[in-house]
């Protein structure tokens, strides 16, 4: 028995050496995720729907206090609605982004944002790495058009997707 390994002799390594480190076999899923890219049209539709929803959330600002009336209560109600509706829309979008990588429009159209490797992309990464660069591009003449036109590449990724390391896939 002196030349045999403990496993061959029917003894576990722990029984052979009670001070040995334990071993654990971990099951690892090493297969890459096969996610289907979202169509260019669904991405375009999501931008349009989100734009319309943003405009609708700003309607209380457009209407102004003329429809509310005079007095402190009317002004307080106007401010609550004028600030509350857009902030509620932003909060709800951030909540959806954190849960599923989707905005309201992306959820309606059955698409979501993931990192390049297919893993979860939370709201923080979405807003900081993906949304702000797109906003900055909008200040450059034709920047938004250049950014959006990149979806016609094979990868169907905009410039802000490249910078953020994200892609849009079917949910």
């Amino acid at each position: 028995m002196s030349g045999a390994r403990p496993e061959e002799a029917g003894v576990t390594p722990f029984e052979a050496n009670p001070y040995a480190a334990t071993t654990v076999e971990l099951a690892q899923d090493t297969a890459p995720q096969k996610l289907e890219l979202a169509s260019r049209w669904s991405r375009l539709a999501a931008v349009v729907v989100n734009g319309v929803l943003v405009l609708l959330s700003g309607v209380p600002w457009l209407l102004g206090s003329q429809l509310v009336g005079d007095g402190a209560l009317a002004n307080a109600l106007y401010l609550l609605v004028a600030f509350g509706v857009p902030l509620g829309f932003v909060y709800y979008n951030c909540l959806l982004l954190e849960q599923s990588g989707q905005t309201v429009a992306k959820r309606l159209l059955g698409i979501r944002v993931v990192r390049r490797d297919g893993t979860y992309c939370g709201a923080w990464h979405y807003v900081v790495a993906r949304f702000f660069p797109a906003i900055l591009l909008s200040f450059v003449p034709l920047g938004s058009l250049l950014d959006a036109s990149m979806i016609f590449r094979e990868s169907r990724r905009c410039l802000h997707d490249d910078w953020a390391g994200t892609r849009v896939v079917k949910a």
Side-chain angles (χ1 to χ4, degrees), residues 26-39:
L26 299 175
Q28 294 182 351
D29 183 15
T30 57
Q33 288 187 344
K34 302 270 185 188
L35 298 172
E36 186 178 348
L37 291 175
S39 73

Side-chain angles (χ1 to χ4, degrees), residues 132-144:
F132 281 144
I135 294 297
L136 292 176
L137 278 171
S138 69
F139 291 112
V140 176
L142 301 177
S144 292

Side-chain angles (χ1 to χ4, degrees), residues 23-144:
T23 58
V24 177
E25 290 190 35
L26 299 175
Q28 294 182 351
D29 183 15
T30 57
Q33 288 187 344
K34 302 270 185 188
L35 298 172
E36 186 178 348
L37 291 175
S39 73
R40 292 172 180 94
W41 294 111
S42 64
R43 292 195 66 182
L44 177 63
V47 169
V48 170
V49 170
N50 266 337
V52 168
L53 291 174
V54 166
L55 288 175
L56 289 177
S57 74
V59 165
W61 283 106
L62 298 175
L63 293 178
S65 60
Q66 293 84 7
L67 298 178
V68 178
D70 294 329
L73 181 60
N75 288 334
L77 178 63
Y78 168 70
L79 289 175
L80 178 67
V81 172
F83 282 106
V85 171
L87 288 176
F89 178 72
V90 168
Y91 174 76
Y92 186 62
N93 265 324
C94 286
L95 188 66
L96 286 176
L97 285 168
E98 188 61 37
Q99 291 174 349
S100 61
Q102 298 172 304
T103 60
V104 172
K106 284 180 176 59
R107 178 169 278 193
L108 289 172
L109 293 162
I111 59 178
R112 66 187 172 106
V113 177
V114 295
R115 290 183 188 248
R116 188 174 293 149
D117 62 359
T119 59
Y120 167 76
C121 175
W124 181 254
H125 184 80
Y126 183 96
V127 170
V128 172
R130 193 170 188 274
F131 181 69
F132 281 144
I135 294 297
L136 292 176
L137 278 171
S138 69
F139 291 112
V140 176
L142 301 177
S144 292

